[in-house]
Amino acid sequence: MTDVTDRQQLNYIAAQAADARVNLELETEGMTLNIGPQHPATHGTLRIVAKLDGEQVIAADPVMGYMHRGYEKLTEVRTYPQVTTLINRIDWLGSFANEVPFILAAEQLMEVEAPPRAQWIRTILFEMSRIANVVLFLGDVAVQVGAVTPAFFAFRDREHILNQIEAVTGGRFHPNFDRIGGLKDDLPAGWVAETKLVMKKMRRFCDEIETLVFGNEIFEARTRGIGVIPADIGLQYGLSGANIRGSGVDWDVRRDQPCGLVYDQVDWKVWTHPDGDSFSRCWVRLQETREATKIVDQLLDTIPAGPVMAKVPRIIKVPAGEAFVETENPLGVMGYYVISKGDLVPYRVKIRSASFNNMSITPWLLKGVYVPDIITILASLYFILGDIDR
């Protein structure tokens, strides 16, 4: 047999074997795949236990609690002013926003209202926390599909926001700037003009991300029609924020249940997307970041003069009672249920944060998807482990 004949025979055998494989259904045993608790795709100490049939997920259970820090119990042994130093660590990317609903709940119990200037500045810093938080998401979500450059852009431009937050609060990640009755300090000189320039930079960042990520066919292929959450299912699981607005639900606490912040003083829009897939959740966050820059710009133009602190006792003792306040935080709805028995410390604090509810849908959402899609779906849900493991 010549060499040519051997090659022809081998090609024939290979073709037969390939055809046989195509038409052969193999019976395989199921496999359990542990993703995390230390895995880049889980963004922290989250463990997903996935049961697979081939590459398809037949069941997935999130295992949480690896970094539980007991914030709710710790608040019972801290004075009210001390509590803010704890709770701004819950979602460390949007820390100022964590402080606000607790302070508002305490103010409700004390029947104290912050002066108008303090309310304006609170709202500005709240939205700047949203931008600082979501900018990192917009860069990082691209990493999940193999694009690293947007993450560099996100870290570069988030610095502008953090610099401004630091300039007024003294802290980049844990400002501890909110006080019962107002704020620790007023704005420094020149801060307003500099912040308006930063808002322009953030809008430019959004344009760059829209081109680099949302206009990329690989990103679309990996997120369009993947991880679809129907609106009624999302509501059953208690989803909030961009995760539920990405399923077409027009609900935003800033507009629908305003409390203590001045969103009614500016012209802004609640963004929704009808598709409910991974793409739509990311898209809504992009639009909300742009909208936040517009809110900040308008508030900067209309800050009223006056004090930033109401008259409150030097020693804070909150009258007996109960209060629940929730706000539209960067990750979704965050609420504090505070019970006081008239002491220097809260009797009980229950925290309702967005990430825990947003994560609760994963057993339903991941069932039936393929292993690579787990990564993009988890990224699109967007959660902070500290926000889950309180």
Side-chain angles (χ1 to χ4, degrees):
M1 183 178 290
T2 64
D3 289 345
V4 174
T5 306
D6 285 345
R7 197 158 46 247
Q8 287 174 335
Q9 188 175 13
L10 286 171
N11 288 340
Y12 175 78
I13 293 171
Q16 291 294 313
D19 188 49
R21 280 199 297 273
V22 167
N23 295 311
L24 184 64
E25 291 187 4
L26 294 176
E27 290 291 334
T28 58
E29 292 185 2
M31 185 180 80
T32 300
L33 176 66
N34 273 288
I35 303 175
Q38 297 288 346
H39 188 282
T42 60
H43 302 268
T45 51
L46 173 69
R47 178 182 168 210
I48 302 285
V49 181
K51 294 181 179 175
L52 308 179
D53 178 9
E55 272 203 271
Q56 196 167 30
V57 178
I58 56 175
D61 293 311
V63 182
M64 298 169 267
Y66 285 92
M67 59 178 293
H68 182 55
R69 294 170 291 175
Y71 282 139
E72 290 174 346
K73 298 306 289 181
L74 285 172
T75 60
E76 297 172 10
V77 291
R78 300 287 193 281
T79 65
Y80 283 89
Q82 289 174 334
V83 169
T84 54
T85 62
L86 287 173
I87 57 178
N88 64 28
R89 286 162 168 76
I90 293 175
D91 165 16
W92 44 74
L93 296 182
S95 46
F96 180 81
N98 294 211
E99 299 176 8
V100 174
F102 175 79
I103 291 292
L104 291 175
E107 287 179 350
Q108 253 187 33
L109 289 169
M110 293 184 68
E111 297 183 353
V112 170
E113 187 174 273
R117 184 173 176 83
Q119 294 180 25
W120 249 255
I121 298 173
R122 262 184 195 167
T123 312
I124 290 169
L125 291 174
F126 196 101
E127 288 305 303
M128 289 178 70
S129 291
R130 183 186 315 281
I131 296 168
N133 185 314
V134 182
V135 158
L136 210 55
F137 164 83
L138 293 171
D140 188 65
V141 74
V143 176
Q144 315 303 323
V145 295
V148 178
T149 302
F152 294 144
F153 285 9
F155 278 106
R156 176 197 68 190
D157 289 339
R158 190 181 66 142
E159 284 300 297
H160 302 306
I161 287 284
L162 294 182
N163 287 342
Q164 290 307 101
I165 291 175
E166 182 183 20
V168 66
T169 68
R172 296 173 71 77
F173 293 103
H174 306 300
N176 191 26
F177 191 66
D178 230 334
R179 297 288 185 272
I180 295 173
L183 297 168
K184 179 175 175 288
D185 282 317
D186 206 336
L187 299 175
W191 191 85
V192 170
E194 186 65 28
T195 304
K196 287 181 79 71
L197 291 176
V198 168
M199 292 303 110
K200 287 182 181 175
K201 291 176 181 174
M202 291 302 107
R203 284 192 283 275
R204 191 163 61 235
F205 166 81
C206 290
D207 293 342
E208 288 174 342
I209 289 294
E210 189 157 37
T211 303
L212 277 172
V213 179
F214 289 81
N216 185 291
E217 62 183 26
I218 296 174
F219 181 76
E220 286 213 24
R222 293 292 307 279
T223 56
R224 290 270 194 191
I226 305 292
V228 176
I229 303 174
D232 58 333
I233 297 293
L235 290 171
Q236 286 176 29
Y237 279 96
L239 265 58
S240 61
N243 287 340
I244 196 66
R245 288 192 286 274
S247 295
V249 177
D250 186 13
W251 175 49
D252 192 309
V253 169
R254 291 175 292 179
R255 180 198 61 194
D256 302 327
Q257 297 169 243
C259 179
L261 300 172
V262 291
Y263 292 106
D264 59 340
Q265 300 295 318
V266 290
D267 180 27
W268 63 287
K269 176 181 177 181
V270 175
W271 289 87
T272 61
H273 195 290
D275 291 350
D277 55 13
S278 297
F279 182 91
S280 64
R281 292 187 283 276
C282 301
W283 183 87
V284 167
R285 288 193 180 92
L286 174 68
Q287 306 309 324
E288 290 183 350
T289 306
R290 283 199 177 106
E291 205 68 31
T293 65
K294 296 175 188 172
I295 292 172
V296 171
D297 266 346
Q298 293 177 65
L299 292 174
L300 288 172
D301 290 334
T302 55
I303 300 178
V308 295
M309 193 68 194
K311 288 185 178 178
V312 294
R314 187 176 176 82
I315 305 297
I316 300 290
K317 203 170 184 179
V318 174
E322 302 177 10
F324 177 70
V325 172
E326 57 185 8
T327 51
E328 188 71 38
N329 281 44
L331 301 173
V333 173
M334 185 174 200
Y336 289 82
Y337 179 51
V338 181
I339 302 177
S340 172
K341 290 204 168 182
D343 298 325
L344 296 173
V345 300
Y347 172 73
R348 184 79 178 92
V349 173
K350 176 72 181 76
I351 304 169
R352 189 279 187 208
S353 61
S355 293
F356 186 84
N357 286 70
N358 289 345
M359 178 53 56
S360 68
I361 199 172
T362 49
W364 181 90
L365 187 57
L366 296 181
K367 189 175 181 180
V369 307
Y370 291 95
V371 172
D373 293 335
I374 295 176
I375 308 304
T376 54
I377 291 171
L378 287 179
S380 72
L381 287 175
Y382 193 31
F383 49 85
I384 300 291
L385 261 297
D387 202 40
I388 294 174
D389 295 345
R390 298 181 299 275

